[in-house]
Amino acid sequence: FVTGRTQTWNSAQYDLTTSGMQPGNTYEISAWVKIDGDASDVIRMTLESRPAAAQNSTYTLLDDASDTLNWVKVSTQYTFNHT
């Protein structure tokens, strides 16, 4: 549950590397999302990745949803290729 957002990019965050992901494996990543308000908006699920030797992160759009006044599932399959 995310509250107190001050910017549109503020969101729930979860470190997938602490969940036991292994390089070369493909994973189903999903979340149930909903906007608590009167107006629907687009919710985007993005992935931030930064290989150990890299100085900058890359961001990948995994899925998005626009009917966000009701609970909606955003999901994708992702192959983890970083070490």
Side-chain angles (χ1 to χ4, degrees):
F1 187 69
V2 178
T3 62
R5 291 174 30 138
T6 58
Q7 300 292 319
T8 58
W9 57 266
N10 292 154
S11 63
Q13 298 178 355
Y14 185 74
D15 185 351
L16 295 173
T17 60
T18 63
S19 68
M21 291 179 76
Q22 298 294 316
N25 289 346
T26 299
Y27 298 90
E28 176 80 19
I29 301 172
S30 65
W32 284 92
V33 296
K34 177 182 183 292
I35 289 185
D36 184 22
D38 296 329
S40 187
D41 202 349
V42 174
I43 293 179
R44 292 178 181 87
M45 180 171 53
T46 57
L47 178 81
E48 175 186 10
S49 60
R50 184 183 319 167
Q55 292 188 0
N56 297 314
S57 297
T58 59
Y59 296 87
T60 305
L61 175 64
L62 301 178
D63 196 10
D64 61 15
S66 57
D67 176 22
T68 53
L69 291 179
N70 298 300
W71 286 103
V72 62
K73 183 178 182 181
V74 289
S75 65
T76 193
Q77 288 191 345
Y78 173 72
T79 301
F80 182 61
N81 290 317
H82 299 292
T83 57

